[in-house]
Amino acid sequence: MRFTSPLLLTLLVLLPLIAFLGWPARGFARRRELVSLVLRLIILLCLIFSLAGLELLRASDALSVVFLIDASDSMPDLAQAAAADYARRAIENMGPDDQAAVIVFGGDALVERPMSPARELGTLASIPNTGQTDLSEAIRLALALYPPGAARRMVILSDGAATTGDAQAAARLASASGVEIVAAPFVTQPGAEVALTEVEVPARLRQDERFDLRLSVRATQPMRAEVRILIGGQVAYAGTHDLERGAQSFTIPLTAGAPGFVRYVVQLNPEADGYYQNNELAAFSQVEGPPQVLLVAPPAGEPFTFEGTPRPDEFSQLSSALQAAGFVVEVARPSGLPSEVVGLADYASVVLVDVPARDLSRRQMLAVQSYVRDLGGGLAAVGGPTSYGVGGYFRTPLEEVLPVEMQIKDEQRRPSLAIVFVIDRSGSMAETSGGVAKLELATEAAARSVELLSPSDRVGVVAFDEVASWVVPIIDLSDPNPVLDAIGSIRSGGGTDILAGLQAMASELPSDSASLKHVILLTDGGADPTGIPELVQRLNVESGVTLTAVGVGRDAAPFLQQLAELGGGRYHFTADPAAIPSIFTEETTLATRSYIVEETFFPQQVSASPILSGITEVPALQGYVGTTAKDAAQTILVSEQQDPILATWQYGLGRAVAFTSDASGRWARQWIGWEGFPIFWAQAVRSTIGDRARSALDVQVEQAGENARLIVDAQTETGAYLNRYTLQANVVAPDGQVEAVSLRQVAPGRYEAPFTPNAQGAYLIGVAGQAEGGNGQTVAETAGWVLSYSPEYRELESDPDALYRIALSGGGRIASADPAAAFAHTLPAPYATQPIWPPLLLAAALLLPVDIAVRRLTIGWGDVRRAWLKLIERVRFGQPAPAAPARSHRMDALLQAKQRAGKPAVQTPPETPVVPEPMSVPPESATSEKQSPLAPKPTAPSSPEATAAALLARKKSKAKEQVKKR
């Protein structure tokens, strides 16, 4: 017997006090009061024992065993099958009171079978992470499965090669919980195996510098293996090497290429091998040299959809200016812009020259955004007729990165516009592209265009298949929400009748009062062109309605380009439906005729900037794309209408510059011949790179199991520590996911932060910060780190000694060869506890009415006998019971008093009672009527007042006798 809360037993001191205060005085009711006191003390004792948690202890012979089966890759299939068979045979031989559970573990632990007395174990179905071995997690999970009141044993079936976690600490915790750990090691010999264990390159290199790449290999037997080295995805070395048994190293001479962040991937292809996971490693090196800039521009000569003329050369003059300033310039088309952050990390800055958003995939734009925000890269956007708002940047990642918004907020500069979207909703529009239906992209494009419009503009939407209908009649955009809801309700189905859609539009749009009337026609199918060109031309000539046609996919009608020419608009063809939203926003922006400003003006400087260092005046420009500067941006040059021409801002760890005019002979023909042209663009691009003290930060990563720690040492060139800095780091995983971490200073000049790498491969880490309070230099660094393959594939030999140490550290032993020994009852029998506070509370509740009855009721043996006889009478189904004895005098008195209490009281005047005289009975002869001999004899009436007076006198007499006895 024991108590879970023994301190509450101090309440027992109240029992003597309660007994003393409740002890009854001598008298005729003393016996009942004593019984009541005893009952109350028993009730109180039950309550105190319940609060103290009274439990009964009893010996138990039950045994609970948990089997931990290693299913990681270091355990061969035969070893895993033998471990499962060992557990299966042991469970078949367990005792009647025993229970067993099974846990399958690798990098994580899964419960294959919960604790159960069943004597069978089926085929293992749990599949943990096989790339790691975390025995500590399996031990901790097993501790949660043991039931109370049973002996505990844990059988570990593993090769002992744990790769993460502290198994010995978990074993000590299990031993402290009364668990016996039994180790059953499986010793395996690896077959033919080659593992690439290490790749080393210098952390920093100069351009064209020769260096040695060193790689370390371990082989279980002699064989030949092919070695390949990839730099930037290109094969830089390929050769065959003879491997010996054991560890060995090779050095391969290489030459550093272009400046930037260079990744070297080493691949091994042996003749015979067991695991492919350990045949590839990577390393990073920072190649120093002139800043490398990626200049992205559409090719000259492509169809220039703004006017239908070929696109002029818009980048050659800019490229030459940057090269003259010492930059290494690489020119690429929009399709050549890397779609991964790793590909952009080689460049100090990216320059976009009049690139329309429809020429870039969303993945490319997201890569540029992450490159600037998370790695501290630079971005410079150069304008042109297909950039910014007219290039479809609205609501794209490019707009988020740039310091300007794509809308003009000045409503007075916007002419009134009525725009109608004529959207194909035929069955073919339900086809998907990248998991999204073409119709869904079309409705998204229309919705995005509506958001781009002004509240003073008017919009309408016509949807057509075999017939056409107005989804949204032409209305003002004072409240765009109903329009957006209606656009989202369009559903696909039916054929394609372009004429029906245009006729529905023609019935309303020509009579609209707007000064500009524009139509955007979208279709992915063909149709009969009869009457369509004539209708479009008539609307353009007679009513000034312009029409832009957008063809999607190979089946788009071939006459759409002709319609655009007749309608005075533009024709867009795209094989990728994902470009539809950018095309719509581009067309919507152009339809207002206010975003492209073509007039000669001299830019005005409104703020100082390093971009204009040494420049006192600039030549005139002939045009620009209208935008609005963001609140946090710095506007440097503006037009005569106060529109931003040059703006810059900090975006995340990087900087972005926006120049809304161009760098070609179209709008900047006077700038090209200007002597300050190379200086201006060199300083503009260099401002995006920033004045970074890269030598001040040394970035390292230390891995510990499944976690990693980022370590940054901050020192000046003279060795002085940079203390009290606020450092922020962005860790970009191989899949593009970004984890932002804040570093905390832990020592002079040292800052640390933990992070969790989730995928094998190359990680890019951008670190930036400055001294607290904004004083001191700004520091930044970009580094790389490679998460190599799991240690599971590095040490392929079993480690039974480690398993022995784990078992012995927990006070355990080595397993017997007989599986039945797993359920040997050799452990001390534990005590099972059974709480008994519930029955104690029940006893207290049942005794409470008994205590009340003892104090309130007086019952004699005669009453008990009568109740018993009535019960017998009911049992006999109405048979008469033996005559009940006469009630006691006291009970009669009580019953009479109860009857009197139930009658209404009679008010009598306080007169002297008159004793009635005895009635004389006259002789029969004297009566006028004869009485029947059976008539009852008259009796004197009994008085209730007299009875009560007699009872009261008797009670007073007994009270006097008790006083005399005392």
Side-chain angles (χ1 to χ4, degrees), residues 203-204 260-261 285-286 288 374-377 653 689 691-700 710-714 727-731 743 764-769 778-784:
R204 294 187 179 276
F261 205 63
S285 183
Q286 181 73 40
E288 298 176 349
D374 304 321
L375 291 185
L653 300 180
I689 302 173
D691 184 15
R692 302 179 179 180
R694 290 188 177 274
S695 60
L697 299 182
D698 180 30
V699 181
Q700 299 178 2
L710 177 63
I711 302 174
V712 177
D713 290 318
L727 296 182
Q728 182 77 19
N730 291 319
V731 182
L743 290 95
L764 293 178
I765 303 172
V767 182
T778 299
V779 293
E781 179 64 287
T782 301

mmCIF file of all heavy atoms in Angstrom, residues 203-204 260-261 285-286 288 374-377 653 689 691-700 710-714 727-731 743 764-769 778-784:
data_model
loop_
_atom_site.group_PDB
_atom_site.id
_atom_site.type_symbol
_atom_site.label_atom_id
_atom_site.label_comp_id
_atom_site.label_asym_id
_atom_site.label_seq_id
_atom_site.Cartn_x
_atom_site.Cartn_y
_atom_site.Cartn_z
ATOM 1 N N ALA A 203 39.589 27.450 -51.568
ATOM 2 C CA ALA A 203 38.383 28.240 -51.334
ATOM 3 C C ALA A 203 38.332 29.462 -52.237
ATOM 4 O O ALA A 203 37.259 29.872 -52.671
ATOM 5 C CB ALA A 203 38.299 28.661 -49.872
ATOM 6 N N ARG A 204 39.487 30.044 -52.566
ATOM 7 C CA ARG A 204 39.533 31.225 -53.421
ATOM 8 C C ARG A 204 40.596 31.022 -54.498
ATOM 9 O O ARG A 204 41.695 30.541 -54.223
ATOM 10 C CB ARG A 204 39.836 32.491 -52.615
ATOM 11 C CG ARG A 204 38.721 32.865 -51.647
ATOM 12 C CD ARG A 204 38.992 34.219 -50.987
ATOM 13 N NE ARG A 204 37.932 34.574 -50.087
ATOM 14 C CZ ARG A 204 36.791 35.174 -50.450
ATOM 15 N NH1 ARG A 204 36.599 35.494 -51.723
ATOM 16 N NH2 ARG A 204 35.866 35.466 -49.575
ATOM 17 N N GLY A 260 33.626 34.241 -60.372
ATOM 18 C CA GLY A 260 32.305 33.920 -59.838
ATOM 19 C C GLY A 260 32.374 32.764 -58.865
ATOM 20 O O GLY A 260 33.448 32.352 -58.417
ATOM 21 N N PHE A 261 31.217 32.291 -58.556
ATOM 22 C CA PHE A 261 31.044 31.213 -57.601
ATOM 23 C C PHE A 261 30.979 29.908 -58.394
ATOM 24 O O PHE A 261 29.995 29.660 -59.081
ATOM 25 C CB PHE A 261 29.753 31.459 -56.822
ATOM 26 C CG PHE A 261 29.727 30.825 -55.483
ATOM 27 C CD1 PHE A 261 30.626 31.184 -54.507
ATOM 28 C CD2 PHE A 261 28.786 29.856 -55.186
ATOM 29 C CE1 PHE A 261 30.582 30.606 -53.266
ATOM 30 C CE2 PHE A 261 28.738 29.279 -53.950
ATOM 31 C CZ PHE A 261 29.637 29.658 -52.987
ATOM 32 N N SER A 285 34.332 26.904 -55.044
ATOM 33 C CA SER A 285 35.474 27.803 -55.001
ATOM 34 C C SER A 285 35.038 29.171 -55.518
ATOM 35 O O SER A 285 34.243 29.257 -56.462
ATOM 36 C CB SER A 285 36.626 27.256 -55.844
ATOM 37 O OG SER A 285 37.753 28.102 -55.737
ATOM 38 N N GLN A 286 35.570 30.209 -54.907
ATOM 39 C CA GLN A 286 35.279 31.580 -55.338
ATOM 40 C C GLN A 286 36.426 32.051 -56.234
ATOM 41 O O GLN A 286 37.555 32.222 -55.784
ATOM 42 C CB GLN A 286 35.135 32.504 -54.124
ATOM 43 C CG GLN A 286 34.798 33.938 -54.481
ATOM 44 C CD GLN A 286 33.351 34.080 -54.948
ATOM 45 O OE1 GLN A 286 32.457 33.468 -54.402
ATOM 46 N NE2 GLN A 286 33.143 34.901 -55.960
ATOM 47 N N GLU A 288 38.164 34.825 -58.162
ATOM 48 C CA GLU A 288 38.196 36.276 -58.123
ATOM 49 C C GLU A 288 38.698 36.826 -59.445
ATOM 50 O O GLU A 288 39.534 36.227 -60.122
ATOM 51 C CB GLU A 288 39.086 36.749 -56.977
ATOM 52 C CG GLU A 288 38.579 36.302 -55.609
ATOM 53 C CD GLU A 288 39.526 36.704 -54.506
ATOM 54 O OE1 GLU A 288 40.657 37.127 -54.828
ATOM 55 O OE2 GLU A 288 39.136 36.604 -53.329
ATOM 56 N N ASP A 374 17.980 37.001 -51.609
ATOM 57 C CA ASP A 374 18.564 36.036 -50.668
ATOM 58 C C ASP A 374 20.073 35.917 -50.772
ATOM 59 O O ASP A 374 20.735 35.595 -49.783
ATOM 60 C CB ASP A 374 17.931 34.659 -50.890
ATOM 61 C CG ASP A 374 16.414 34.693 -50.773
ATOM 62 O OD1 ASP A 374 15.932 35.417 -49.877
ATOM 63 O OD2 ASP A 374 15.731 34.021 -51.557
ATOM 64 N N LEU A 375 20.628 36.171 -51.973
ATOM 65 C CA LEU A 375 22.074 36.050 -52.138
ATOM 66 C C LEU A 375 22.771 37.392 -52.235
ATOM 67 O O LEU A 375 24.000 37.440 -52.308
ATOM 68 C CB LEU A 375 22.392 35.212 -53.381
ATOM 69 C CG LEU A 375 22.039 33.729 -53.311
ATOM 70 C CD1 LEU A 375 22.517 33.021 -54.565
ATOM 71 C CD2 LEU A 375 22.650 33.081 -52.080
ATOM 72 N N GLY A 376 22.008 38.485 -52.258
ATOM 73 C CA GLY A 376 22.636 39.796 -52.328
ATOM 74 C C GLY A 376 23.120 40.162 -53.709
ATOM 75 O O GLY A 376 24.015 41.007 -53.847
ATOM 76 N N GLY A 377 22.572 39.539 -54.762
ATOM 77 C CA GLY A 377 22.960 39.881 -56.122
ATOM 78 C C GLY A 377 22.386 41.213 -56.553
ATOM 79 O O GLY A 377 21.538 41.812 -55.881
ATOM 80 N N LEU A 653 18.907 41.322 -49.425
ATOM 81 C CA LEU A 653 20.346 41.498 -49.284
ATOM 82 C C LEU A 653 20.969 42.205 -50.483
ATOM 83 O O LEU A 653 22.143 42.570 -50.438
ATOM 84 C CB LEU A 653 21.026 40.132 -49.106
ATOM 85 C CG LEU A 653 20.597 39.306 -47.879
ATOM 86 C CD1 LEU A 653 21.364 37.998 -47.844
ATOM 87 C CD2 LEU A 653 20.824 40.091 -46.598
ATOM 88 N N ILE A 689 26.098 46.044 -57.272
ATOM 89 C CA ILE A 689 27.022 45.093 -56.651
ATOM 90 C C ILE A 689 27.367 45.553 -55.252
ATOM 91 O O ILE A 689 27.504 44.745 -54.335
ATOM 92 C CB ILE A 689 28.291 44.932 -57.517
ATOM 93 C CG1 ILE A 689 27.894 44.461 -58.915
ATOM 94 C CG2 ILE A 689 29.277 43.972 -56.880
ATOM 95 C CD1 ILE A 689 29.043 44.432 -59.901
ATOM 96 N N ASP A 691 29.553 48.160 -52.394
ATOM 97 C CA ASP A 691 30.924 48.203 -51.906
ATOM 98 C C ASP A 691 31.048 47.215 -50.768
ATOM 99 O O ASP A 691 30.917 47.539 -49.597
ATOM 100 C CB ASP A 691 31.262 49.628 -51.434
ATOM 101 C CG ASP A 691 32.722 49.744 -51.006
ATOM 102 O OD1 ASP A 691 33.500 48.831 -51.348
ATOM 103 O OD2 ASP A 691 33.055 50.746 -50.335
ATOM 104 N N ARG A 692 31.295 45.968 -51.124
ATOM 105 C CA ARG A 692 31.270 44.890 -50.131
ATOM 106 C C ARG A 692 32.675 44.564 -49.648
ATOM 107 O O ARG A 692 33.571 44.325 -50.443
ATOM 108 C CB ARG A 692 30.640 43.632 -50.722
ATOM 109 C CG ARG A 692 29.225 43.858 -51.220
ATOM 110 C CD ARG A 692 28.670 42.596 -51.812
ATOM 111 N NE ARG A 692 27.309 42.817 -52.269
ATOM 112 C CZ ARG A 692 26.564 41.887 -52.835
ATOM 113 N NH1 ARG A 692 27.046 40.673 -53.029
ATOM 114 N NH2 ARG A 692 25.344 42.157 -53.228
ATOM 115 N N ALA A 693 32.812 44.521 -48.366
ATOM 116 C CA ALA A 693 34.080 44.093 -47.773
ATOM 117 C C ALA A 693 34.053 42.587 -47.599
ATOM 118 O O ALA A 693 33.830 42.059 -46.518
ATOM 119 C CB ALA A 693 34.300 44.798 -46.438
ATOM 120 N N ARG A 694 34.256 41.872 -48.697
ATOM 121 C CA ARG A 694 34.085 40.421 -48.667
ATOM 122 C C ARG A 694 35.139 39.753 -47.801
ATOM 123 O O ARG A 694 34.914 38.672 -47.296
ATOM 124 C CB ARG A 694 34.125 39.855 -50.086
ATOM 125 C CG ARG A 694 32.908 40.240 -50.898
ATOM 126 C CD ARG A 694 32.883 39.500 -52.211
ATOM 127 N NE ARG A 694 31.679 39.825 -52.962
ATOM 128 C CZ ARG A 694 30.529 39.199 -52.808
ATOM 129 N NH1 ARG A 694 30.437 38.222 -51.943
ATOM 130 N NH2 ARG A 694 29.474 39.549 -53.508
ATOM 131 N N SER A 695 36.302 40.359 -47.687
ATOM 132 C CA SER A 695 37.346 39.743 -46.877
ATOM 133 C C SER A 695 37.040 39.832 -45.388
ATOM 134 O O SER A 695 37.728 39.219 -44.581
ATOM 135 C CB SER A 695 38.693 40.431 -47.169
ATOM 136 O OG SER A 695 38.622 41.813 -46.863
ATOM 137 N N ALA A 696 36.021 40.607 -44.998
ATOM 138 C CA ALA A 696 35.723 40.761 -43.576
ATOM 139 C C ALA A 696 34.987 39.562 -42.999
ATOM 140 O O ALA A 696 34.986 39.366 -41.790
ATOM 141 C CB ALA A 696 34.891 42.023 -43.349
ATOM 142 N N LEU A 697 34.358 38.739 -43.818
ATOM 143 C CA LEU A 697 33.562 37.616 -43.329
ATOM 144 C C LEU A 697 34.139 36.310 -43.838
ATOM 145 O O LEU A 697 34.466 36.177 -45.014
ATOM 146 C CB LEU A 697 32.094 37.738 -43.778
ATOM 147 C CG LEU A 697 31.319 38.966 -43.310
ATOM 148 C CD1 LEU A 697 29.875 38.893 -43.815
ATOM 149 C CD2 LEU A 697 31.346 39.088 -41.800
ATOM 150 N N ASP A 698 34.229 35.364 -42.937
ATOM 151 C CA ASP A 698 34.629 33.999 -43.284
ATOM 152 C C ASP A 698 33.474 33.084 -42.893
ATOM 153 O O ASP A 698 33.145 32.955 -41.706
ATOM 154 C CB ASP A 698 35.909 33.605 -42.549
ATOM 155 C CG ASP A 698 36.339 32.191 -42.887
ATOM 156 O OD1 ASP A 698 36.057 31.734 -44.013
ATOM 157 O OD2 ASP A 698 36.935 31.514 -42.018
ATOM 158 N N VAL A 699 32.835 32.480 -43.885
ATOM 159 C CA VAL A 699 31.624 31.682 -43.661
ATOM 160 C C VAL A 699 31.987 30.200 -43.696
ATOM 161 O O VAL A 699 32.624 29.732 -44.647
ATOM 162 C CB VAL A 699 30.553 32.002 -44.727
ATOM 163 C CG1 VAL A 699 29.296 31.189 -44.481
ATOM 164 C CG2 VAL A 699 30.246 33.494 -44.729
ATOM 165 N N GLN A 700 31.561 29.482 -42.669
ATOM 166 C CA GLN A 700 31.778 28.044 -42.585
ATOM 167 C C GLN A 700 30.498 27.369 -42.122
ATOM 168 O O GLN A 700 29.635 27.996 -41.485
ATOM 169 C CB GLN A 700 32.910 27.706 -41.605
ATOM 170 C CG GLN A 700 34.263 28.289 -41.981
ATOM 171 C CD GLN A 700 35.318 27.962 -40.954
ATOM 172 O OE1 GLN A 700 35.052 27.267 -39.976
ATOM 173 N NE2 GLN A 700 36.518 28.471 -41.170
ATOM 174 N N LEU A 710 25.743 27.301 -38.950
ATOM 175 C CA LEU A 710 26.418 28.312 -39.754
ATOM 176 C C LEU A 710 27.310 29.141 -38.829
ATOM 177 O O LEU A 710 26.842 29.691 -37.830
ATOM 178 C CB LEU A 710 25.387 29.190 -40.452
ATOM 179 C CG LEU A 710 25.909 30.352 -41.289
ATOM 180 C CD1 LEU A 710 26.745 29.840 -42.445
ATOM 181 C CD2 LEU A 710 24.758 31.206 -41.793
ATOM 182 N N ILE A 711 28.589 29.216 -39.171
ATOM 183 C CA ILE A 711 29.572 29.935 -38.357
ATOM 184 C C ILE A 711 30.188 31.029 -39.221
ATOM 185 O O ILE A 711 30.693 30.753 -40.314
ATOM 186 C CB ILE A 711 30.666 28.989 -37.827
ATOM 187 C CG1 ILE A 711 30.024 27.870 -37.001
ATOM 188 C CG2 ILE A 711 31.683 29.755 -37.001
ATOM 189 C CD1 ILE A 711 31.008 26.810 -36.567
ATOM 190 N N VAL A 712 30.142 32.260 -38.740
ATOM 191 C CA VAL A 712 30.697 33.404 -39.460
ATOM 192 C C VAL A 712 31.698 34.099 -38.548
ATOM 193 O O VAL A 712 31.348 34.524 -37.437
ATOM 194 C CB VAL A 712 29.591 34.383 -39.893
ATOM 195 C CG1 VAL A 712 30.210 35.593 -40.584
ATOM 196 C CG2 VAL A 712 28.598 33.700 -40.820
ATOM 197 N N ASP A 713 32.946 34.212 -39.030
ATOM 198 C CA ASP A 713 33.985 34.968 -38.329
ATOM 199 C C ASP A 713 34.157 36.301 -39.040
ATOM 200 O O ASP A 713 34.424 36.347 -40.254
ATOM 201 C CB ASP A 713 35.306 34.202 -38.315
ATOM 202 C CG ASP A 713 35.243 32.971 -37.424
ATOM 203 O OD1 ASP A 713 34.678 33.079 -36.323
ATOM 204 O OD2 ASP A 713 35.725 31.901 -37.838
ATOM 205 N N ALA A 714 34.008 37.390 -38.280
ATOM 206 C CA ALA A 714 34.062 38.742 -38.839
ATOM 207 C C ALA A 714 35.305 39.450 -38.303
ATOM 208 O O ALA A 714 35.422 39.688 -37.097
ATOM 209 C CB ALA A 714 32.801 39.529 -38.479
ATOM 210 N N LEU A 727 23.776 40.432 -38.155
ATOM 211 C CA LEU A 727 23.998 39.647 -39.359
ATOM 212 C C LEU A 727 22.772 38.795 -39.664
ATOM 213 O O LEU A 727 22.205 38.166 -38.773
ATOM 214 C CB LEU A 727 25.217 38.737 -39.207
ATOM 215 C CG LEU A 727 26.576 39.434 -39.028
ATOM 216 C CD1 LEU A 727 27.694 38.394 -38.952
ATOM 217 C CD2 LEU A 727 26.835 40.412 -40.151
ATOM 218 N N GLN A 728 22.400 38.806 -40.924
ATOM 219 C CA GLN A 728 21.285 37.998 -41.421
ATOM 220 C C GLN A 728 21.801 37.137 -42.555
ATOM 221 O O GLN A 728 22.556 37.593 -43.406
ATOM 222 C CB GLN A 728 20.150 38.894 -41.920
ATOM 223 C CG GLN A 728 18.918 38.152 -42.404
ATOM 224 C CD GLN A 728 18.060 37.645 -41.264
ATOM 225 O OE1 GLN A 728 18.172 38.129 -40.150
ATOM 226 N NE2 GLN A 728 17.204 36.684 -41.543
ATOM 227 N N ALA A 729 21.395 35.869 -42.583
ATOM 228 C CA ALA A 729 21.838 34.939 -43.619
ATOM 229 C C ALA A 729 20.631 34.285 -44.266
ATOM 230 O O ALA A 729 19.633 33.992 -43.589
ATOM 231 C CB ALA A 729 22.768 33.878 -43.045
ATOM 232 N N ASN A 730 20.737 34.062 -45.555
ATOM 233 C CA ASN A 730 19.737 33.315 -46.314
ATOM 234 C C ASN A 730 20.410 32.077 -46.881
ATOM 235 O O ASN A 730 21.393 32.176 -47.629
ATOM 236 C CB ASN A 730 19.149 34.161 -47.457
ATOM 237 C CG ASN A 730 18.284 35.286 -46.940
ATOM 238 O OD1 ASN A 730 17.521 35.102 -45.999
ATOM 239 N ND2 ASN A 730 18.393 36.448 -47.533
ATOM 240 N N VAL A 731 19.877 30.926 -46.529
ATOM 241 C CA VAL A 731 20.418 29.649 -46.980
ATOM 242 C C VAL A 731 19.502 29.122 -48.079
ATOM 243 O O VAL A 731 18.329 28.831 -47.824
ATOM 244 C CB VAL A 731 20.521 28.642 -45.817
ATOM 245 C CG1 VAL A 731 21.126 27.335 -46.300
ATOM 246 C CG2 VAL A 731 21.350 29.228 -44.679
ATOM 247 N N LEU A 743 21.935 35.453 -37.150
ATOM 248 C CA LEU A 743 23.115 34.984 -36.448
ATOM 249 C C LEU A 743 23.274 35.717 -35.125
ATOM 250 O O LEU A 743 22.999 36.916 -35.019
ATOM 251 C CB LEU A 743 24.375 35.176 -37.299
ATOM 252 C CG LEU A 743 24.482 34.250 -38.523
ATOM 253 C CD1 LEU A 743 23.959 34.942 -39.763
ATOM 254 C CD2 LEU A 743 25.902 33.783 -38.741
ATOM 255 N N LEU A 764 23.702 27.499 -51.290
ATOM 256 C CA LEU A 764 24.272 28.837 -51.395
ATOM 257 C C LEU A 764 23.872 29.642 -50.169
ATOM 258 O O LEU A 764 22.718 29.611 -49.746
ATOM 259 C CB LEU A 764 23.775 29.540 -52.659
ATOM 260 C CG LEU A 764 24.249 28.926 -53.985
ATOM 261 C CD1 LEU A 764 23.640 29.683 -55.150
ATOM 262 C CD2 LEU A 764 25.751 28.952 -54.078
ATOM 263 N N ILE A 765 24.833 30.350 -49.608
ATOM 264 C CA ILE A 765 24.602 31.074 -48.361
ATOM 265 C C ILE A 765 25.014 32.521 -48.562
ATOM 266 O O ILE A 765 26.172 32.815 -48.883
ATOM 267 C CB ILE A 765 25.410 30.451 -47.197
ATOM 268 C CG1 ILE A 765 25.048 28.973 -47.039
ATOM 269 C CG2 ILE A 765 25.161 31.207 -45.907
ATOM 270 C CD1 ILE A 765 25.931 28.239 -46.063
ATOM 271 N N GLY A 766 24.059 33.427 -48.416
ATOM 272 C CA GLY A 766 24.341 34.851 -48.497
ATOM 273 C C GLY A 766 24.246 35.483 -47.124
ATOM 274 O O GLY A 766 23.231 35.351 -46.441
ATOM 275 N N VAL A 767 25.297 36.152 -46.690
ATOM 276 C CA VAL A 767 25.360 36.776 -45.364
ATOM 277 C C VAL A 767 25.599 38.263 -45.552
ATOM 278 O O VAL A 767 26.460 38.668 -46.355
ATOM 279 C CB VAL A 767 26.474 36.158 -44.499
ATOM 280 C CG1 VAL A 767 26.478 36.784 -43.104
ATOM 281 C CG2 VAL A 767 26.306 34.653 -44.404
ATOM 282 N N ALA A 768 24.853 39.084 -44.836
ATOM 283 C CA ALA A 768 25.026 40.537 -44.905
ATOM 284 C C ALA A 768 24.614 41.133 -43.581
ATOM 285 O O ALA A 768 23.821 40.552 -42.822
ATOM 286 C CB ALA A 768 24.220 41.142 -46.048
ATOM 287 N N GLY A 769 25.154 42.305 -43.291
ATOM 288 C CA GLY A 769 24.784 42.994 -42.058
ATOM 289 C C GLY A 769 25.646 44.211 -41.836
ATOM 290 O O GLY A 769 26.545 44.541 -42.618
ATOM 291 N N THR A 778 29.305 48.213 -43.844
ATOM 292 C CA THR A 778 28.409 47.127 -44.219
ATOM 293 C C THR A 778 29.234 45.944 -44.697
ATOM 294 O O THR A 778 30.178 46.120 -45.482
ATOM 295 C CB THR A 778 27.455 47.585 -45.326
ATOM 296 O OG1 THR A 778 26.672 48.679 -44.842
ATOM 297 C CG2 THR A 778 26.528 46.452 -45.738
ATOM 298 N N VAL A 779 28.919 44.775 -44.225
ATOM 299 C CA VAL A 779 29.667 43.572 -44.589
ATOM 300 C C VAL A 779 28.721 42.618 -45.298
ATOM 301 O O VAL A 779 27.520 42.571 -45.024
ATOM 302 C CB VAL A 779 30.292 42.888 -43.349
ATOM 303 C CG1 VAL A 779 31.374 43.758 -42.752
ATOM 304 C CG2 VAL A 779 29.225 42.583 -42.310
ATOM 305 N N ALA A 780 29.275 41.844 -46.234
ATOM 306 C CA ALA A 780 28.478 40.871 -46.973
ATOM 307 C C ALA A 780 29.402 39.807 -47.521
ATOM 308 O O ALA A 780 30.589 40.047 -47.759
ATOM 309 C CB ALA A 780 27.692 41.534 -48.102
ATOM 310 N N GLU A 781 28.865 38.631 -47.694
ATOM 311 C CA GLU A 781 29.632 37.525 -48.248
ATOM 312 C C GLU A 781 28.683 36.479 -48.804
ATOM 313 O O GLU A 781 27.575 36.271 -48.277
ATOM 314 C CB GLU A 781 30.522 36.889 -47.171
ATOM 315 C CG GLU A 781 31.347 35.701 -47.630
ATOM 316 C CD GLU A 781 32.383 36.066 -48.695
ATOM 317 O OE1 GLU A 781 31.942 36.312 -49.825
ATOM 318 O OE2 GLU A 781 33.573 36.107 -48.372
ATOM 319 N N THR A 782 29.087 35.868 -49.884
ATOM 320 C CA THR A 782 28.351 34.759 -50.466
ATOM 321 C C THR A 782 29.256 33.544 -50.449
ATOM 322 O O THR A 782 30.397 33.608 -50.919
ATOM 323 C CB THR A 782 27.921 35.066 -51.910
ATOM 324 O OG1 THR A 782 27.096 36.236 -51.907
ATOM 325 C CG2 THR A 782 27.135 33.910 -52.489
ATOM 326 N N ALA A 783 28.761 32.464 -49.894
ATOM 327 C CA ALA A 783 29.557 31.248 -49.758
ATOM 328 C C ALA A 783 28.743 30.058 -50.205
ATOM 329 O O ALA A 783 27.521 30.140 -50.390
ATOM 330 C CB ALA A 783 30.035 31.069 -48.316
ATOM 331 N N GLY A 784 29.429 28.968 -50.369
ATOM 332 C CA GLY A 784 28.766 27.725 -50.764
ATOM 333 C C GLY A 784 29.091 26.616 -49.790
ATOM 334 O O GLY A 784 30.120 26.626 -49.108
#
